[in-house]
Amino acid sequence: MSAGLQPFLSDAVVALRAPTQVWSGRNGDVGGQPIDGVYHGDTRFVREAVLTYSTAGEASVPETISIGEVSASAVSFTALLRGIDDDSPDPKVRLERVRTVAPGVIREQLTVRSHLSTALSTNLRLRLVPDFAPLQEVKAGAPRAGTWTAKGDASTLRLEDGATSMLLSAPAAHLSSENDAVIVEWAVECAPYSAWSAEWTLEVDDPGLVVAPPGAEPRWRGIDVLAGSDSRVRRWVDRALSDLDALRLTLPDSPDEFLAAGAPWFFTLFGRDSLWAARLMLPVDPAIAASTLRVLARLQGTKTDPATAEEPGKILHELRAGELAMPGEGILLPPVYYGTIDATPLWVCLLAEAAAAGMAEDEVRELVPALRAALDWIVTSAGDDGFLDYVDESGRGLSNQGWKDSGDSIQWRDGTLARGPIALCEVQGYAYEAAVTGAALLESLGEDGSGPLREWATALRRRFADRFWVTTPEGRYPAIALDRDGRPVDTLTSNIGHLLGTGILDPDQAHDVARLLTGRSMMSGFGVRTMSTGAAGYWPLSYHGGSVWAHDTAITARGMAREGLRHEALVVVDGLLAAAETFAFRMPELYSGDDRSTTVAPAPYPAACRPQAWSAAAAVTCREILRI
């Protein structure tokens, strides 16, 4: 990677327990790739941790032979130390390096095992380079290291940069400084046919964090969620639940959990991501839906502020400890940012589903004021034309505020970018479902106000049918959006899959949408492409213009199943299972839209986050569809 470019992630190894994560190479060393490092919150504390051993006074590099990802939070690396081995063909000296990550704590257990008939003596040397670089600068490919100080003794060292700090401990080692690095050295003595082991620990702290680790085990522990005849499903669900466990967070002053969006960049609360992940997880953990709803209700908008995009009743987009700058993109987001058009209706939809799934009535009643505020925002925001749309009023926020939030995601079939305000098709579906299910929920609780909501939803459904449908050489389908002039933007995209199951389509329309999404231009064989191959802007490695996103495809399959289109849903799930197998059942954020007929595996999108909450939660949804 060159300076100024976002780091690639696809070949890196990660061990995580939010809000802490360690990224390394497959040999266990940190520092060989731009993403490598020890991170906590929004700071990279360490940019290099390289282990060597001595051979005749010179440094040698262990030769890695295997890696074992024990869980989301534990990884083992096995290497050979051939520089101190005997002359026989069988390797007899190996190094085992087991890394475990807990919130704020990284531990590595080092074990040298010898099958030599003679005693073995060597030195292990860990070179550790502190960093204290802001996460957003690492993402931009231009990290700026902090200025740190160190104090301690030969076995313990505290390193500080302002309020952030880390404590390095290695009781059996000798610690020293060398230029910009800390050196940890162990004298290894192995009797014949024996082993030597030691441990080093790094405790990191940032008192400015706005998120905290949960205080309890996940509620799905001990529940049989792996039942099923397809071994691929069991392996995918098992891996996904481990990742989702490691992505759990709370706010510092509340026990309510939510799922962080994903590693490495999004270890925080995201309205859309956390809501969809909790929604897809409902079959195995309704409680995390309830807690996510409460967390977001506490931060629900109460005033109008164009700088933060806050509005009364609106659900936030993103929570950070400080401003988030995106160098080169002209984007500077405030710490609490509300620039999302879909999180508010999604919040209502999740509340209705959670209530139906058994959320306690008293917990639902506590959220009625937030429900009313969210529904008021939906109806009020629809404006003169009756559709929910968005435009960035601050001039430095996100230009696109649906789930496809990249700058080029809303295109015409000829590749021209649509101009805002933008009214996305799927958001109208979410709004319709929110109004209908919100009205039903109010009625079930003996609350008033359901009648006007139903009338509004009926009118929205009629407007949608009149304004969004287009006919192109690919067929008849809903446009991805209406542009600033109210024209339907005619590209065929995966957005229409989110309409399925919302109720905004009639059965024939739902069938037509499902048929297009399982057709050759949209179905890669590994999932639903974000954009049709028939569009001028299609590219299989485009972030939102031809790639496949696991959560997007799972939402489509879920909608098909809700519409009674089981055959189509199973076609989509089969594609996701094929993709999951190629990624060792840890689904990344997205991957290429290459066709399954031309490749045995989709190409990784090299900057895709992994694990990511909604990609992992897709496994649960697919399992449920197969169980129907």
Side-chain angles (χ1 to χ4, degrees), residues 221-431:
R221 287 275 176 89
I223 301 173
D224 181 15
V225 297
L226 302 179
S229 59
D230 192 325
S231 63
R232 296 177 301 168
V233 176
R234 293 195 298 274
R235 292 180 64 188
W236 187 15
V237 171
D238 185 49
R239 185 65 179 267
L241 292 179
S242 177
D243 284 338
L244 289 161
D245 176 15
L247 289 169
R248 293 179 305 127
L249 282 171
T250 66
L251 300 183
D253 58 349
S254 169
D256 283 326
E257 296 179 11
F258 58 88
L259 293 166
W265 316 121
F266 308 118
F267 266 20
T268 188
L269 175 66
F270 276 75
R272 176 191 310 117
D273 298 57
S274 298
L275 285 165
W276 261 125
R279 196 175 184 186
L280 297 174
M281 282 283 288
L282 266 174
V284 298
D285 188 9
I288 204 162
S291 59
T292 299
L293 289 162
R294 287 192 292 269
V295 169
L296 289 167
R298 290 176 55 197
L299 297 168
Q300 190 174 27
T302 58
K303 62 183 184 296
T304 299
D305 183 357
T308 64
E310 181 180 358
E311 295 171 358
K314 195 176 185 182
I315 298 299
L316 66 70
H317 171 64
E318 180 175 355
L319 177 68
R320 296 277 184 178
E323 287 187 328
L324 177 66
M326 300 183 187
E329 299 181 46
I331 294 175
L332 183 65
L333 303 184
V336 184
Y337 180 55
Y338 290 81
T340 169
I341 191 65
D342 52 6
T344 308
L346 287 172
W347 186 93
V348 176
C349 293
L350 179 59
L351 177 60
E353 282 195 29
M359 182 176 172
E361 184 175 319
D362 60 336
E363 294 183 19
V364 177
R365 287 189 179 279
E366 288 176 2
L367 292 174
V368 166
L371 170 63
R372 289 192 176 278
L375 289 168
D376 287 347
W377 179 87
I378 292 169
V379 174
T380 301
S381 296
D384 295 337
D385 66 355
F387 296 116
L388 270 70
D389 61 20
Y390 62 82
V391 67
D392 172 41
E393 296 182 12
S394 71
R396 58 181 189 176
L398 296 175
S399 59
N400 281 315
Q401 298 183 2
W403 86 260
K404 293 181 179 176
D405 55 5
S406 56
D408 64 349
S409 61
I410 313 302
Q411 300 182 18
W412 295 83
R413 289 189 79 244
D414 66 4
T416 305
L417 297 186
R419 301 178 69 177
I422 296 290
L424 293 168
C425 69
E426 76 272 18
V427 174
Q428 315 318 312
Y430 300 157

